[in-house]
Amino acid sequence: MKRFAPACLVLALATAGFDAHADTELVIATVNNGHMIEMQKLTPFFEKANPGIKLKWVTLEEGTLRQRVTTDIATKGGQFDVMTIGLYEAPIWSKKGWLKPIATDAAYDVDDLLPAIRSGLSYQGQLYAAPFYAESSMLMYRKDLADKAGVKFSDPPTWAEVKDFAAKVNDPKAGVYGICLRGKPGWGDNMALLTTMVNTYGGQWFDMAWKPQIDSQPWKDAIGFYVDLIKKNGPPGASANSFNENLALFNEGKCAQWVDATIAASFISDSKQSKVADKVAYAQAPVAVTPKGANWLWSWNLAIPASSSKSEAAQKFIRWATSKDYVNLVAKEHGWRAVPTGTRKSTYANPEFQKVAGFAAAEKRSIDAANPNAGENTLPPSPYAGVQYAAIPEFQAIGFAVGQQMSAALAGKVPVEQALKTSQTMAEREMKKGGYYK
């Protein structure tokens, strides 16, 4: 007499067999910047070359992305297989054991990575995140308007020259504002710009005893200058604007000048996106009393959380997305002007890239000039690494809270001095709580 397995068991076995051969789905958290959007569009190329791996994208605004991935990795939530993280998080998280090392091979050519970026993403000599694109900051301006106004910038330009140009060309009735700058609160939003301004005015976040310096004269000078500059010569609602909002304004021809990430140059010089693509010129980040810390250093990178159970597939994806071959793929599909920059020597050495990227020399010069090393990043010695941030875990909360105060000052909700005083009190409390000083 034959025995038959129960129908439910047959179904369970069939389902188990199906799962054993199912595609590996990689959930990738990334930021909604142009180069990341382009990477998503190129998904079919990766999936075709890697059958059995499917990519699922979670695309978030910059501040939301930081909150989501930080919470997930700290709690070992396991929502994401690949995370887009910054130069700030990489060394802190790798030291905590939260990230898996990046497995590179000869074809990847890790020695082709720009030294400053590779160093910033390594811990004890091992790469823990792979750079997708990197940036410094610089001044981007309308050369046609500068020529008409008879304005010539120094090398590097000064913030006083920036203010003078803004005042001369600000014409809201004609839809042109003298300057566009970040105002949206966030340690990686308005505080990225404002920290570099504070640096070049001779300030710092913390002195060598880790005491916050936010109520110091350099902060008062820098923030006062910034608020006055934008109120008189910036677009309305500037306290809500960050990179993407200012990019849209510049591309529409509404900004005479903009100090922001060098990566913006590849978009504002593209005639398919920008109405002023043929009218843009570039200069180094503006300085005040010192060039130290005047231009930031940042990279967006792909990393694998230590808790990931799909490490092999994640490694394949990261090697693909940050490789020379990926750069060549973007160039083939959309032209050399569209490639992600700031990471590889070979990109800048490529004559095809040099031919179309009028911004390349200024961009690389800015990246090479940025110095995030502790003791060298600010005029008075500082105990922390980082240019537009302090590379300590507590900075994320401090930077965001201070960013809210600075945005409120820009919006006219609180006086500058009150915003700085409130920020100083809050920062002191957090640093004492963290055990940095009593």
Side-chain angles (χ1 to χ4, degrees):
M1 180 174 154
K2 291 183 179 178
R3 294 182 179 271
F4 294 94
C8 60
L9 180 58
V10 172
L11 179 61
L13 290 170
T15 304
F18 175 79
D19 284 348
H21 298 92
D23 289 331
T24 298
E25 182 182 74
L26 288 180
V27 181
I28 305 166
T30 196
V31 67
N32 64 341
N33 291 349
H35 284 307
M36 275 67 175
I37 301 298
E38 186 54 46
M39 177 168 51
Q40 293 171 49
K41 293 177 182 176
L42 296 174
T43 290
F45 288 93
F46 174 80
E47 292 182 344
K48 185 178 179 181
N50 296 273
I53 303 176
K54 297 294 181 185
L55 306 182
K56 180 181 178 181
W57 297 90
V58 179
T59 307
L60 304 164
E61 183 271 337
E62 189 170 319
T64 306
L65 172 81
R66 288 195 172 105
Q67 292 171 0
R68 287 276 300 274
V69 299
T70 300
T71 300
D72 188 68
I73 200 162
T75 60
K76 299 181 181 178
Q79 291 183 58
F80 309 114
D81 302 301
V82 176
M83 294 176 165
T84 303
I85 67 173
L87 200 62
Y88 164 74
E89 293 93 349
I92 296 173
W93 291 4
S94 56
K95 188 176 181 180
K96 285 177 176 285
W98 290 356
L99 302 175
K100 291 193 175 183
I102 300 299
T104 58
D105 53 23
Y108 186 79
D109 191 6
V110 72
D111 290 332
D112 186 46
L113 299 177
L114 293 179
I117 302 301
R118 180 181 176 183
S119 174
L121 299 176
S122 297
Y123 175 62
Q124 295 182 340
Q126 170 66 53
L127 200 67
Y128 276 84
F132 182 66
Y133 76 79
E135 63 191 36
S136 183
S137 54
M138 64 182 178
L139 171 66
M140 298 160 278
Y141 65 97
R142 290 274 299 278
K143 191 173 186 305
D144 59 326
L145 296 179
D147 289 346
K148 188 176 179 181
V151 170
K152 288 188 177 180
F153 289 108
S154 303
D155 182 23
T158 67
W159 276 109
E161 290 171 342
V162 166
K163 183 178 181 179
D164 178 61
F165 178 42
K168 285 182 176 177
V169 298
N170 187 52
D171 190 357
K173 290 182 180 179
V176 178
Y177 301 99
I179 191 164
C180 292
L181 294 174
R182 297 186 183 198
K184 185 177 182 178
W187 71 266
D189 287 296
N190 62 343
M191 293 315 300
L193 170 77
L194 291 178
T195 300
T196 62
M197 289 186 72
V198 168
N199 291 343
T200 195
Y201 269 87
Q204 61 189 150
W205 275 98
F206 311 103
D207 65 15
M208 291 302 290
W210 289 104
K211 182 174 173 57
Q213 298 296 300
I214 303 170
D215 61 352
S216 63
Q217 194 60 47
W219 275 82
K220 293 173 185 174
D221 292 343
I223 305 304
F225 178 92
Y226 159 82
V227 169
D228 181 67
L229 176 63
I230 299 182
K231 278 186 175 179
K232 289 179 179 176
N233 304 294
S239 61
N241 293 346
S242 194
F243 178 86
N244 286 329
E245 292 81 7
N246 286 326
L247 173 62
L249 286 168
F250 198 100
N251 281 346
E252 285 295 314
K254 294 181 178 180
C255 301
Q257 56 187 332
W258 180 28
V259 180
D260 212 298
T262 54
I263 201 72
S266 60
F267 305 123
I268 64 176
S269 64
D270 181 1
S271 59
K272 294 177 183 176
Q273 304 180 51
S274 172
K275 293 180 180 178
V276 294
D278 60 342
K279 299 178 176 67
V280 186
Y282 309 96
Q284 296 299 292
V287 300
V289 302
T290 177
K292 284 194 172 186
N295 55 311
W296 73 58
L297 184 66
W298 186 254
S299 61
W300 280 116
N301 320 283
L302 300 176
I304 306 169
S307 57
S308 173
S309 60
K310 303 172 185 176
S311 181
E312 186 178 345
Q315 296 279 5
K316 283 184 180 179
F317 169 73
I318 289 177
R319 283 196 296 270
W320 171 80
T322 62
S323 67
K324 292 180 188 177
D325 287 343
Y326 178 84
V327 172
N328 291 328
L329 173 63
V330 176
K332 180 182 176 184
E333 294 296 310
H334 302 289
W336 276 100
R337 190 191 302 278
V339 303
T341 57
T343 61
R344 289 188 170 273
K345 303 170 191 173
S346 54
T347 301
Y348 292 98
N350 190 298
E352 294 300 314
F353 175 68
Q354 293 175 5
K355 195 184 300 180
V356 300
F359 57 85
E363 178 181 61
K364 188 169 186 296
R365 186 179 165 202
S366 293
I367 292 172
D368 289 344
N371 187 349
N373 295 327
E376 302 170 31
N377 48 0
T378 54
L379 184 59
S382 296
Y384 54 87
V387 181
Q388 77 281 20
Y389 58 86
I392 57 173
E394 291 77 9
F395 180 76
Q396 203 163 358
I398 293 173
F400 182 74
V402 175
Q404 288 180 311
Q405 289 295 317
M406 299 306 107
S407 188
L410 179 59
K413 295 177 180 178
V414 295
V416 169
E417 291 223 356
Q418 181 59 51
L420 292 173
K421 186 177 180 181
T422 301
S423 297
Q424 175 73 16
T425 301
M426 182 277 307
E428 286 182 1
R429 184 175 63 246
E430 289 298 313
M431 294 301 282
K432 286 178 181 177
K433 192 165 70 176
Y436 287 84
Y437 75 103
K438 294 181 180 180

